[in-house]
Amino acid sequence: MNNTFRSRIKAPILLNSAEAEIIRALRRQGCITSTDLSRMTGWSKAKTAQDIRDLVEKGFLMEAGEGISQGGRKPRLLCINRNLGFVVGVDIGATSVDVALADISGSVLQRYSEPADVRQRPEPFLGRCVEIILHLMELQGCRADQILGIGIGVPGPVDFARGVLVAPPLMPDWENFSIRGFVKESFPNAFVVVDNDVNIMALGEQRAGDGINVDHFIFVKIGTGIGAGIVSNGKIHRGSTGCAGDIGHICVDKNGPICRCGNTGCLEAMAAGPAIAEKAMQAALNGSSLLLKNLMNQNGGVLRPEDVNTACREGDQAALEIIRASGQMIGDVLAGLVNFFNPSHIFIGGGIANFGNHLLVSIRRAVLRRSLPLATTHLSINFSRMGPDAGVTGAVALALEYLFVIEDQPTTTI
Amino acid sequence: MNNTFRSRIKAPILLNSAEAEIIRALRRQGCITSTDLSRMTGWSKAKTAQDIRDLVEKGFLMEAGEGISQGGRKPRLLCINRNLGFVVGVDIGATSVDVALADISGSVLQRYSEPADVRQRPEPFLGRCVEIILHLMELQGCRADQILGIGIGVPGPVDFARGVLVAPPLMPDWENFSIRGFVKESFPNAFVVVDNDVNIMALGEQRAGDGINVDHFIFVKIGTGIGAGIVSNGKIHRGSTGCAGDIGHICVDKNGPICRCGNTGCLEAMAAGPAIAEKAMQAALNGSSLLLKNLMNQNGGVLRPEDVNTACREGDQAALEIIRASGQMIGDVLAGLVNFFNPSHIFIGGGIANFGNHLLVSIRRAVLRRSLPLATTHLSINFSRMGPDAGVTGAVALALEYLFVIEDQPTTTI
DNA sequence: AAAACATTGTCTATAAAATAGACGAAGTTC
DNA sequence: GAACTTCGTCTATTTTATAGACAATGTTTT
């Protein structure tokens, strides 16, 4: 059965709207009975049964034993055929790479992370990613031809249609390199989608986090850089050239320091991880914080953003002030975006997201002070609770979203 | 025929997707033949003919004579039944009101504008609007029960779902007043939709201006205030509480003047019409511009924004500098929004849109300097060419969009 | 002007898709 | 064990769409 099916897979997989509705229901509920599906959709029992038979025939669905009786005959349960194939999510960060192997319903089966340096050339980096994927596949016992989709998030501006990085500051050697082409060589059956890392985090938050059923939200990643993933009307907003959400280079202070983008006083240059570390080192050197000075000496003369967090937790005033200043600058920018975009939620993630409440409180305060009341009364600003999982989860969701395509979408507006 | 139909109208009018596609094609093309429609949609001739018969039967479509032969039998043309009913668009500005009466296809039949003061209470103001509508109806020979939809744009934050203004700075007496309820009393058959004035201008630009087929754009209105209408993925983005686009209160200079919203240094307080006039009066008084001083004396001691424009056209350096400074501040804010939203077009409208190129050039320069290259390479920033028509056209489009509702929209995403 | 060809739109037979509801199988409740 | 429920299949029927024949009505060529 799987053998005959395998050769028929052509990605993306086209579904009509009835099939899509069934699969969507199964994604949400895990298991479902034919009768419940009929009731949910409003279709007749015959049509529902026929559609299910077709999907089982095609290999998407399988029976999953018997359900519990509702006072009559026991129903037969249906679930997504987990042997149909697998999808992979890859979250490439500036200093690490996260990979997840998931089944066709989006459940993560295997997961792996390791440090990595994105500044190297794409071939060895992606080669290592392929190795990791192959390793996870071995653990799961899955063949290369069973990999149907791969979603990849990269930390830079992505021309989404082409799946190519455009002028990426962190990884200049990747410019115009076809990530899709490289990965396809190892997984010819797979449908490869490349997107910005923040977009996939937003997608992860929407599918498996607190962003579920939220129409309009912003996911802000604060780490080495600062970026935002935008969801409008329940869909990722990528903008006309696919680089929407690049808020790291919004101007905070015209007289501020020079950013790697060439401008002055960008948010990223003043409030992201490196800026925090830099300010902390100044505080250590000019004697305003003994604790930071000691940490710096322990670290061999440098401070990382995490060290500032450590100092902050121990009540160091200088460190606290640095974090507060960052939060305020980020909040000032977000205030403008709240006025413009009017989201109901802002999720904050990235390496700095576990910096505790000092950062969050100052962000909230700045936003509330500078945004319109109507925009803030129902606004929630919180850390993403998905932690480092948002990225890979979103990458898996991205792969699935573009693996299954609904055909014959009718016009939605007059 | 029309008599039996009239009583059957229940707004909103539900259409299935086939009917919607036919009506949409007719909106675009004006007239169409059955065969062309069959070719466009891919439906068989029989189904197309049947659907057309149904729509004619229901009163939406009517025959419009014969078309020209393509080398064979002459086709019969179809068009939208203009006797079906009418829609009204009302664009309420701070100092004026524009009303248009249009047929069901969106073509404007009658149009009227007059000065008005929105600071008065809603009852007399809207009462006058109703009078104008009745007057236009009389000119067109249309009865009150033939008005099927009314779209209204108001200059303030609208809770779109309720159709009510929330904390409107320009018109405090309108807070929580049910505009829909008031208008419905005079036009009980009409479906009334209320939206922010900038959203309807964006809608007008999208339906009848240069925004047609543009997926992501921002319409910026600069007048007494500054606001933006946002289109994402081809749809108006209203945000979670319907107040998206309120960019007038984004902070430009923390040490700037106090805005009517209570904060300091808002874009609106520093760059909109009143600020321009205020700066010009200072320039007139402190002697930096003789021309402005003369204009001020002619006007009885005050200057309006238009006077600055006049001075600018005559080459007055002080006036030019004021305009340039406004353009730069607006451009600085837009630069951030371009990074965030990545639109392909920015349309600039409102009372200041006819201020010529000095404003536009300085806006463009500021945006290009501070936005990412990938976001600006294909970005067009231009004045809206619709002038004062954008508002009413959009209000008509709004009425039509919510008058005709497509039923049974299938799921668009897995 | 007649013949040849094109296009339009209706009509019919047919195929495809969905429905309602009958009915037996498989349970639970009393 | 009798009465009642629920589940899922099956059949007859209705609804919806299609293909293609064909007459009506044109233009173009000879």
Side-chain angles (χ1 to χ4, degrees):
Chain A
M1 169 65 194
N2 269 332
N3 281 322
T4 61
F5 181 78
R6 214 185 317 137
S7 58
R8 297 209 314 271
I9 282 275
K10 280 278 167 270
I13 297 169
L14 288 178
L15 303 175
N16 62 41
S17 56
E19 292 170 331
E21 199 158 334
I22 293 175
I23 289 182
R24 213 168 59 109
L26 279 161
R27 283 251 183 89
R28 270 204 313 272
Q29 313 228 347
C31 277
I32 206 167
T33 72
S34 159
T35 311
D36 278 348
L37 194 58
S38 169
R39 272 193 287 259
M40 279 176 52
T41 56
W43 303 329
S44 67
K45 288 187 290 182
K47 171 179 163 53
T48 309
Q50 184 60 53
D51 282 355
I52 288 171
R53 262 194 303 278
D54 288 351
L55 282 171
V56 171
E57 165 76 17
K58 286 184 187 172
F60 293 107
L61 264 50
M62 55 185 277
E63 301 219 342
E66 295 183 329
I68 49 174
S69 165
Q70 305 292 321
R73 174 174 166 178
K74 276 190 208 161
R76 294 185 216 156
L77 291 176
L78 286 162
C79 71
I80 289 180
N81 180 5
R82 284 159 200 278
N83 299 317
L84 173 66
F86 301 86
V87 292
V88 172
V90 181
D91 180 14
I92 298 176
T95 57
S96 65
V97 58
D98 288 37
V99 182
L101 179 68
D103 64 26
I104 216 75
S105 73
S107 305
V108 171
L109 307 169
Q110 303 285 340
R111 185 147 165 22
Y112 181 81
S113 304
E114 71 176 26
D117 186 358
V118 85
R119 284 171 302 185
Q120 59 183 303
R121 283 204 50 82
E123 294 89 347
F125 193 103
L126 290 173
R128 176 62 191 149
C129 291
V130 169
E131 271 179 38
I132 296 173
I133 297 172
L134 290 170
H135 179 231
L136 295 182
M137 283 162 57
E138 201 181 320
L139 289 177
Q140 189 63 29
C142 124
R143 296 181 312 273
D145 58 78
Q146 290 181 295
I147 301 291
L148 304 179
I150 302 180
I152 303 174
V154 288
V158 172
D159 184 330
F160 184 72
R162 290 193 299 142
V164 152
L165 283 152
V166 178
L170 279 177
M171 41 213 295
D173 286 347
W174 293 56
E175 171 133 31
N176 284 325
F177 179 84
S178 174
I179 299 171
R180 179 180 297 155
F182 186 93
V183 175
K184 268 234 168 211
E185 281 181 21
S186 302
F187 303 100
N189 280 18
F191 192 66
V192 181
V193 193
V194 182
D195 201 355
N196 182 276
D197 61 339
V198 200
N199 285 344
I200 63 166
M201 293 174 92
L203 201 57
E205 194 70 41
Q206 190 194 31
R207 297 301 167 87
D210 294 329
I212 198 163
N213 291 330
V214 177
D215 281 338
H216 313 290
F217 71 82
I218 303 177
F219 189 105
V220 181
K221 180 189 180 185
I222 311 171
T224 309
I226 296 179
I230 306 166
V231 170
S232 161
N233 285 311
K235 286 188 176 172
I236 297 279
H237 170 89
R238 295 192 171 85
S240 71
T241 54
C243 71
D246 220 325
I247 64 172
H249 302 281
I250 292 180
C251 181
V252 175
D253 176 7
K254 281 184 187 172
N255 305 316
I258 294 179
C259 177
R260 63 183 176 204
C261 76
N263 267 312
T264 55
C266 294
L267 177 63
E268 192 167 303
M270 297 189 68
I276 288 174
E278 178 64 30
K279 282 189 199 171
M281 289 195 273
Q282 279 175 19
L285 292 176
N286 71 19
S288 55
S289 165
L290 265 175
L291 181 54
L292 286 173
K293 189 173 184 180
N294 290 339
L295 282 169
M296 191 163 162
N297 289 336
Q298 285 167 27
N299 280 341
V302 289
L303 281 173
R304 298 157 307 172
E306 303 92 274
D307 302 319
V308 188
N309 187 28
T310 310
C312 205
R313 280 185 201 282
E314 297 190 16
D316 184 86
Q317 282 301 314
L320 229 162
E321 194 41 52
I322 291 170
I323 296 293
R324 276 196 190 133
S326 266
Q328 189 186 327
M329 285 185 276
I330 294 166
D332 282 344
V333 168
L334 289 183
L337 301 181
V338 165
N339 280 342
F340 175 73
F341 193 70
N342 186 21
S344 62
H345 294 72
I346 294 178
F347 301 108
I348 298 181
I352 269 171
N354 45 8
F355 266 39
N357 275 332
H358 292 303
L359 183 72
L360 197 56
V361 165
S362 45
I363 290 177
R364 280 193 190 135
R365 191 175 345 186
V367 170
L368 288 180
R369 193 178 48 220
R370 295 244 40 134
S371 295
L372 292 176
L374 182 53
T376 54
T377 40
H378 296 105
L379 173 64
S380 120
I381 304 178
N382 277 297
F383 285 129
S384 164
R385 292 191 302 181
M386 300 191 68
D389 287 341
V392 273
T393 312
V396 166
L398 181 73
L400 286 173
E401 180 159 335
Y402 283 84
L403 175 60
F404 291 98
V405 171
I406 307 174
E407 57 184 357
D408 290 336
Q409 293 281 25
T411 56
T412 160
T413 179
I414 272 277
Chain B
M1 169 63 191
N2 269 331
N3 281 322
T4 62
F5 181 77
R6 214 187 317 138
S7 57
R8 295 209 315 271
I9 282 274
K10 281 279 167 268
I13 298 169
L14 288 178
L15 303 175
N16 63 39
S17 55
E19 291 170 333
E21 198 158 334
I22 293 175
I23 290 183
R24 214 168 58 109
L26 279 160
R27 283 253 183 86
R28 271 205 311 273
Q29 313 229 348
C31 277
I32 206 168
T33 72
S34 160
T35 310
D36 278 347
L37 195 57
S38 170
R39 273 192 286 259
M40 278 177 54
T41 56
W43 304 329
S44 68
K45 288 187 292 181
K47 171 179 162 52
T48 309
Q50 184 60 51
D51 282 355
I52 287 172
R53 263 194 302 276
D54 288 352
L55 282 171
V56 171
E57 165 76 16
K58 286 184 187 173
F60 293 108
L61 264 50
M62 55 184 276
E63 301 219 340
E66 296 182 329
I68 51 174
S69 165
Q70 306 293 321
R73 174 173 165 179
K74 275 189 209 163
R76 293 185 215 153
L77 292 176
L78 287 162
C79 70
I80 289 180
N81 180 5
R82 285 158 199 278
N83 298 319
L84 173 66
F86 301 87
V87 292
V88 173
V90 181
D91 180 15
I92 298 177
T95 57
S96 65
V97 58
D98 287 38
V99 182
L101 179 69
D103 63 28
I104 216 75
S105 72
S107 304
V108 171
L109 307 169
Q110 302 285 340
R111 186 148 165 19
Y112 181 80
S113 305
E114 71 175 26
D117 186 359
V118 85
R119 285 170 301 184
Q120 59 183 302
R121 284 205 48 83
E123 294 89 346
F125 193 103
L126 291 172
R128 177 61 190 150
C129 290
V130 168
E131 271 179 37
I132 296 172
I133 297 172
L134 290 170
H135 179 231
L136 295 182
M137 284 162 57
E138 199 180 320
L139 289 176
Q140 190 62 29
C142 122
R143 296 181 312 273
D145 58 79
Q146 289 181 295
I147 301 290
L148 304 179
I150 302 180
I152 303 174
V154 289
V158 172
D159 183 332
F160 185 72
R162 291 192 299 143
V164 153
L165 284 152
V166 178
L170 279 176
M171 40 213 297
D173 287 347
W174 293 57
E175 171 132 32
N176 284 326
F177 180 85
S178 174
I179 299 170
R180 180 180 297 155
F182 186 93
V183 175
K184 267 234 168 210
E185 281 182 20
S186 302
F187 303 100
N189 279 19
F191 192 66
V192 182
V193 193
V194 182
D195 201 354
N196 180 277
D197 61 338
V198 199
N199 284 344
I200 64 167
M201 293 173 92
L203 200 58
E205 194 71 40
Q206 188 194 30
R207 297 303 167 86
D210 294 329
I212 198 165
N213 291 331
V214 177
D215 280 338
H216 313 288
F217 71 81
I218 303 177
F219 189 104
V220 180
K221 180 188 178 185
I222 310 171
T224 310
I226 296 180
I230 306 166
V231 171
S232 161
N233 286 311
K235 285 187 176 173
I236 296 280
H237 170 90
R238 294 191 172 88
S240 70
T241 54
C243 71
D246 219 325
I247 63 173
H249 302 282
I250 291 180
C251 181
V252 176
D253 176 6
K254 282 184 187 173
N255 305 316
I258 294 178
C259 177
R260 61 183 177 206
C261 77
N263 268 312
T264 54
C266 294
L267 176 63
E268 192 166 306
M270 297 188 67
I276 289 174
E278 178 64 30
K279 283 189 198 170
M281 287 195 275
Q282 279 175 19
L285 292 175
N286 71 19
S288 54
S289 165
L290 264 175
L291 181 52
L292 285 173
K293 188 173 185 179
N294 289 339
L295 281 169
M296 191 161 160
N297 289 336
Q298 285 168 27
N299 280 340
V302 289
L303 280 173
R304 300 155 306 171
E306 304 91 275
D307 301 319
V308 188
N309 188 28
T310 310
C312 205
R313 282 184 201 281
E314 297 190 15
D316 184 83
Q317 282 301 316
L320 230 163
E321 194 41 53
I322 291 170
I323 296 292
R324 276 194 189 135
S326 266
Q328 188 185 327
M329 285 184 276
I330 294 166
D332 283 343
V333 167
L334 289 182
L337 300 180
V338 165
N339 280 341
F340 174 73
F341 193 71
N342 187 20
S344 61
H345 293 71
I346 294 177
F347 302 107
I348 297 180
I352 269 170
N354 45 8
F355 266 39
N357 276 332
H358 293 301
L359 183 72
L360 198 55
V361 165
S362 45
I363 290 177
R364 279 190 190 137
R365 190 172 350 183
V367 171
L368 288 180
R369 192 177 47 219
R370 295 243 40 136
S371 295
L372 291 176
L374 182 53
T376 53
T377 39
H378 297 105
L379 173 65
S380 120
I381 303 178
N382 277 297
F383 286 129
S384 164
R385 291 190 304 182
M386 299 190 70
D389 286 341
V392 273
T393 311
V396 166
L398 181 73
L400 287 172
E401 180 159 335
Y402 284 83
L403 175 60
F404 291 98
V405 171
I406 307 174
E407 55 184 357
D408 292 334
Q409 292 281 25
T411 55
T412 160
T413 179
I414 272 276

